[in-house]
Amino acid sequence: MQLIIDNLTKTYANGVQALKGVTLTINQGMFGLLGPNGAGKSSLMRTIATLQEADTGTITLGDLNVLTQKEEVRKILGYLPQEFGVYPKVDAVTLLDHLAVLKGIRNKKERKELVEALLHKTNLWKAKNKNLGGYSGGMKQRFGIAQALIANPKLIIVDEPTAGLDPAERNRFLNLLSEIGENTIVILSTHIVEDVKELCTDMAIINNGEVLYKGNPLDAIASVSGKVWKRRIEKNQLEEFRNQYTVISERLIAGRPEITVYNEDSAPEGFQKTEADLEDVYFSLIFGKQNVLATN
Ligand code: ADP
């Protein structure tokens, strides 16, 4: 099954053009949708999740027209929104069982088996009788995945799932997602480059409602390989270097800036070659200083 998004546009009532002709084909597996805050990721995710209308364009999921056959799509969709609220005074077993009833699973034994399997899968078995209000951020996110999996979805959308998780919780969550991605379309929307780098076989980078890159993360890295250079400088040189070079990132190391620049031909004076990273691709596209990659 494929999710095909064609020329999708959306302008909000306040005049913000959140999606400007987005075209993407998404296959089974983990797909990373990467972009800074305000890029249009949630607008796109909510539209795919049948929660808001687009102005023009089409989305199809297999044989379904996502924009018109909403009920059918919802039956095979699992959605974990950015703000995932839980009922704090209810335990995981009770809430999952209740949600399974709402999804139409009438048979009690079937529900019990499903709920138990989901709790094991998301590593929440030991906390199954604890009220959700007492769950950590990571546990809540894993519960979010458990509820998203109830209907055995063909498409799962997770919007910014790792924000606020500590490193151990983040790892556990990402491992869970990659397991699910083996036989489902999973769209991971995030502004965290690492999430995409670690998990996704396919990705897109969006900014200002436009797709700037689509393809494999490794191809993206290969396309800037040998063109990225690093140098440590003094703080008062920053402005001069920004003017002279295509600076794609700046960071402080022990109080002194280290800058990364993009240069196609050769080493700029005083710079050292550095192994290119997905971050370099991302920042060079987001800052739009040059057209590093042709979209395909
Ligand atoms: P992201 O998820 O990448 O942060 P969003 O899709 O939330 O991006 O937002 C894209 C742009 O649309 C932003 O400029 C945002 O302020 C604007 N926007 C999002 N939702 C609405 C809305 N309901 N009404 C008006 N503007 C919105």
Side-chain angles (χ1 to χ4, degrees), residues 12-14 16 18 35-44 46 82 159-160:
Y12 288 108
N14 61 0
V16 173
N37 290 332
K41 303 183 297 299
S42 294
S43 300
L44 181 59
R46 287 195 303 262
Q82 209 167 344
D159 201 352
E160 298 276 358

Side-chain angles (χ1 to χ4, degrees), residues 170-213:
R170 175 177 168 272
N171 271 343
R172 197 176 289 164
F173 186 80
L174 294 181
N175 285 337
L176 173 62
L177 270 192
S178 75
E179 267 175 44
I180 296 166
E182 282 169 17
N183 44 24
T184 319
I185 301 173
V186 180
I187 308 178
L188 167 68
S189 157
T190 182
H191 66 276
I192 302 171
V193 179
E194 285 292 308
D195 287 354
V196 172
K197 192 170 105 183
E198 287 173 26
L199 278 188
C200 300
T201 44
D202 204 7
M203 64 176 262
I205 296 176
I206 75 165
N207 196 22
N208 293 323
E210 286 178 298
V211 176
L212 302 181
Y213 176 79

